[in-house]
Amino acid sequence: MKFFVDTAEVDQIAELNELGMVDGVTTNPSLIMKSGRDILEVTKEIAAMVDGPVSAEVVAIEADAMIEEGRKLATIADNIAVKVPLTWDGLKACKVLSGEGNMVNVTLCFSANQALLAAKAGATFISPFIGRLDDINLDGMELIADIRTIYDNFGFDTQILAASIRNVNHACDAARIGADVMTAPPDVIHKMAAHPLTDKGLDAFLSDWEKTGQKIL
Ligand code: E4P
C-alpha cells in the first residue's frame, strides 16, 4: 500500500520523506488554513520535495469554475493531482480535467455509488473518508471493502485512497482490505511504529546488556 501524508506542514513531510515513507501528499483547504501558508507557494514546495502525487483542492462549487481552478493548480508542478469534491459538478470537472491528462482525486466520498460514479468519470483516485463515517457511527471499512469489490468486478483502475485515517487500526484495516493508498496525518504514521511489547522487550535487553559490562563501540 502506498502512503500519502495528509498535511501541508513541510517539515513533517520532509522528515517522513527522508525515511522513504512518502509516496505522495494530500492537502485540503482546512490543512492549508492550518499551515498559514499561501496555497500556490506551499503546494509548489511540497511538490518539489516529493516524488509522487500531491493533491491540491479546488474551492469553487460550479463545474466551469472548478475546471479553471484545477487547470491553474495543475500548472504548479507535473505531480499535482487536482482534488475535486464528489458532487455532480465535481464529477463534470473530473471528466474534463482527467481528459486533459491531469491526475484527479475525487474527495469527500461516503458511498460506494459515489465511488462508482467517480471511476466512470475518470478519477485517478477516489477518497472515501473513513474517520468521518466512524464519527457518525457508520463503518468506514465496509465502504472500502465495497469499493474494492466493485472496482475489481469491473476492472476500474481508479485507485482507492483511504482518507480521514485517524488511528493505527484504520491504517492496518485499510491495508488488509486492499486500499491502494492511505493518506494519514504524520502522527498516525509515527504511531504505527509503536508497540508496548517492543518497548518492554527493549528495556529487558538493555538491562541484561548492562550486566555484561560489554561495549560494541
Ligand atoms: C483527505 O484527502 C483529507 O484531506 C483528510 O483525510 C480528511 O481527514 P479528516 O476527516 O481527519 O479531516
Side-chain angles (χ1 to χ4, degrees), residues 6 26 28 31 83 129 132 163-164 166 183:
D6 197 31
T26 50
N28 64 37
L31 294 172
K83 214 173 176 189
F129 274 37
R132 293 191 194 189
S164 189
R166 305 267 180 79
T183 188

Side-chain angles (χ1 to χ4, degrees), residues 8-139:
E9 304 299 331
V10 175
D11 293 352
Q12 297 183 19
I13 297 167
E15 195 228 334
L16 288 165
N17 199 31
E18 273 171 32
L19 269 179
M21 298 291 175
V22 181
D23 301 304
V25 171
T26 50
T27 65
N28 64 37
S30 305
L31 294 172
I32 296 292
M33 184 270 292
K34 275 185 206 149
S35 76
R37 302 276 312 272
D38 172 80
I39 182 172
L40 300 177
E41 202 182 279
V42 73
T43 307
K44 188 171 182 177
E45 211 174 305
I46 295 169
M49 183 195 307
V50 169
D51 243 350
V54 174
S55 289
E57 187 161 345
V58 303
V59 289
I61 51 171
E62 282 166 10
D64 287 347
M66 280 188 203
I67 292 163
E68 286 312 307
E69 287 184 355
R71 284 177 180 147
K72 178 160 182 184
L73 292 171
T75 63
I76 295 173
D78 289 344
N79 54 339
I80 295 298
V82 178
K83 214 173 176 189
V84 300
L86 212 156
T87 57
W88 200 252
D89 281 72
L91 291 170
K92 285 184 191 169
C94 174
K95 180 72 183 160
V96 172
L97 290 165
S98 61
E100 291 174 355
N102 299 295
M103 289 187 282
V104 180
N105 176 359
V106 180
T107 189
L108 290 168
C109 170
F110 295 96
S111 80
N113 276 336
Q114 288 182 317
L116 181 53
L117 292 174
K120 290 188 77 68
T124 316
F125 301 103
I126 181 69
S127 290
F129 274 37
I130 308 311
R132 293 191 194 189
L133 282 168
D134 283 5
D135 288 346
I136 58 164
N137 211 20
L138 292 173
D139 189 346

